[in-house]
Amino acid sequence: MRIAVTGSIATDHLMTFPGRFSEQLLADRLDRVSLSFLADNLEVRRGGVAANIAFGLGVLGLRPVLVGAVGADFEPYRVRLKDHGVDTDSVRVSESLHTARFVCTTDRAQNQIATFYAGAMAEAREIDLREVAARTGRLELVLVSPDDPEAMLRHTRACRDLGIPFAADPSQQLARLDGEQVRELVDGARFLFTNEYETALLLERTGWPEEEVLRRVGTWVTTHGEAGARIRGEGRDPLSVPAVEVPAVVDPTGVGDAFRAGFLAGTLWGVPERCAAQLGCAVAATVLASVGTQEYRLHRDSLLDRIRTTYGVGCTATLVTRLRGLT
C-alpha cells in the first residue's frame, strides 16, 4: 500500500502573541495597515503540508513517498523523516534556493497571521511523477497538496495519464489558483479535502454548485475545526464525525495535516470511512496538544482511548490490529 504525498516541505517559525489581533485592527484604517506584534516566544519546527502528512503516515506505520523540492539545508530534516518511516528519495534538492519557510504568529484566540516563502518549492514543477512511480512501483494513491501551482497541475495530469487514483488538497493555494486550474485539480479526484472556508472559496473559484463538485469527485472530506469532519459523496447521506475534545489547545498549526494522515492511513488499510475519520480526528487532537506539526508521538493505547472515549468501542476493534506497530 504505497501512497505518494506531493506538496510543500518547509521550516516553520511559530510565534505567539499574548493579545488579540482583532483589538489592533482599526476598521477605518484597513487600507493602510502597519502593525508589529511583539511575540512572547519563538519555536522553529519542521513543517510543510506534504512533509507533515507524510510524517503522520510514517508514524502510523505506512511508508509514504514524499515528493517535493527543498534546498541544500534539508539534510538534517531528511534524516529525521526517514527515521519516522518516510521515503525521501524522490525529494528534489535545489542547487541555489533555500527550503521554503512558513512564519506564523498565533494570538490568544488561536487566530493566525502567516507568511510563506516558497524558495526551492518553485522547482517542484521539474519533478516527473512518472519517475517516482517507476522507482517505487505501483502507487495506490497520490495526494496532491499545496505546492508550486505548476507542480500541482503537472502531478494531477500525470496521475490521469498513468491511471493512478489521486486526492486533491488545494487548500492554501486556492488563493493563487484561477477557476480553470482549480477545476482541473479537482475533476476526477478520488478524494477532495477542504476546510469550511476553503469549501466556499473552491465553489467561488470553480463556479460549480456543491452538487456539481460531488458529481466530479469520489468523496469530499470537509474539516470543521471543533465541529469535526463531514464526509459526502454523490447519492449517499453525509457522514458527520465530531472532533475529539482537547482540554488545553497548545498549537493549531498542522492539525488539518494530521487529520489527513489519519484518514488516509485508515482508507489505505481498508477500514470503513467512519473509522478512518475517527482515527484522523484522534491524530489531529494529539497534534493540537503539542507545539509544532511533527513534534508529537502516537501511542496505541492513548490513541485508541481517545477514540473509545469520544465515539464508543465501535471502531476500536477494527483499528487495534492496524495500530500494532505503535508502542
Side-chain angles (χ1 to χ4, degrees):
M1 297 180 294
R2 299 306 298 274
I3 176 174
V5 183
T6 76
S8 62
I9 305 167
T11 301
D12 292 345
H13 294 250
L14 309 176
M15 292 168 279
T16 56
F17 173 61
R20 295 176 181 268
F21 296 141
S22 59
E23 295 173 351
Q24 316 304 319
L25 297 171
L26 302 177
D28 60 344
R29 294 289 186 273
L30 295 181
D31 59 330
R32 294 180 178 276
V33 176
S34 178
L35 289 171
S36 176
F37 299 99
L38 182 62
D40 277 353
N41 53 58
L42 167 66
E43 297 280 351
V44 180
R45 304 290 185 181
R46 302 168 183 89
V49 172
N52 292 340
I53 296 171
F55 176 87
L57 288 164
V59 171
L60 284 165
L62 288 85
R63 185 166 171 73
V65 180
L66 179 60
V67 180
V70 299
D73 54 336
F74 177 65
E75 194 55 32
Y77 194 172
R78 180 196 299 276
V79 171
R80 187 171 186 276
L81 287 170
K82 289 176 75 72
D83 287 345
H84 286 82
V86 179
D87 179 339
T88 63
D89 291 348
S90 290
V91 173
R92 175 189 173 93
V93 180
S94 172
E95 296 180 356
S96 59
L97 298 171
H98 290 290
T99 300
R101 297 286 190 274
F102 175 67
V103 181
C104 180
T105 304
T106 303
D107 73 3
R108 68 182 183 190
Q110 300 303 312
N111 297 308
Q112 295 182 315
I113 294 177
T115 301
F116 187 84
Y117 163 70
M121 192 179 81
E123 295 185 9
R125 66 183 65 185
E126 304 299 328
I127 299 172
D128 188 346
L129 206 58
R130 292 170 179 80
E131 296 178 359
V132 178
R135 181 184 69 81
T136 60
R138 179 66 183 177
L139 294 168
E140 297 296 322
L141 184 72
V142 173
L143 174 64
V144 181
S145 68
D147 201 348
D148 171 76
E150 286 302 317
M152 297 172 72
L153 292 164
R154 184 179 187 186
H155 297 331
T156 303
R157 292 165 187 159
C159 286
R160 293 193 181 100
D161 292 343
L162 296 170
I164 301 174
F166 67 95
D169 180 20
S171 51
Q172 295 101 319
Q173 287 294 43
L174 284 170
R176 281 282 303 271
L177 300 164
D178 62 31
E180 182 179 352
Q181 292 172 322
V182 178
R183 288 190 291 271
E184 182 174 355
L185 290 171
V186 169
D187 197 10
R190 176 169 291 185
F191 297 99
L192 169 62
F193 292 97
T194 57
N195 63 26
E196 192 170 7
Y197 180 80
E198 291 159 0
T199 295
L201 188 55
L202 182 140
L203 295 174
E204 185 272 331
R205 286 286 192 272
T206 61
W208 293 336
E210 290 192 359
E211 294 77 12
E212 182 67 12
V213 177
L214 290 170
R215 189 179 71 81
R216 292 176 178 269
V217 304
T219 300
W220 189 356
V221 183
T222 307
T223 54
H224 291 268
E226 295 178 356
R230 190 172 184 230
I231 302 171
R232 291 175 290 168
E234 186 181 31
R236 57 191 175 105
D237 293 333
L239 170 64
S240 294
V241 177
V244 172
E245 184 176 351
V246 178
V249 174
V250 176
D251 178 16
T253 311
V255 173
D257 302 335
F259 172 84
R260 286 155 174 72
F263 179 84
L264 289 170
T267 298
L268 291 169
W269 291 333
V271 306
E273 278 185 345
R274 183 182 299 275
C275 298
Q278 289 179 5
L279 176 60
C281 288
V283 178
T286 304
V287 174
L288 268 175
S290 62
V291 175
T293 59
Q294 299 176 27
E295 307 306 317
Y296 62 96
R297 294 185 177 183
L298 295 178
H299 301 285
R300 182 183 60 247
D301 291 345
S302 60
L303 198 61
L304 289 170
D305 185 60
R306 285 183 186 272
I307 295 171
R308 188 181 301 109
T309 300
T310 305
Y311 309 110
V313 299
C315 285
T316 53
T318 301
L319 292 171
V320 68
T321 57
R322 299 294 186 173
L323 297 173
R324 284 176 179 168
L326 298 181
T327 57

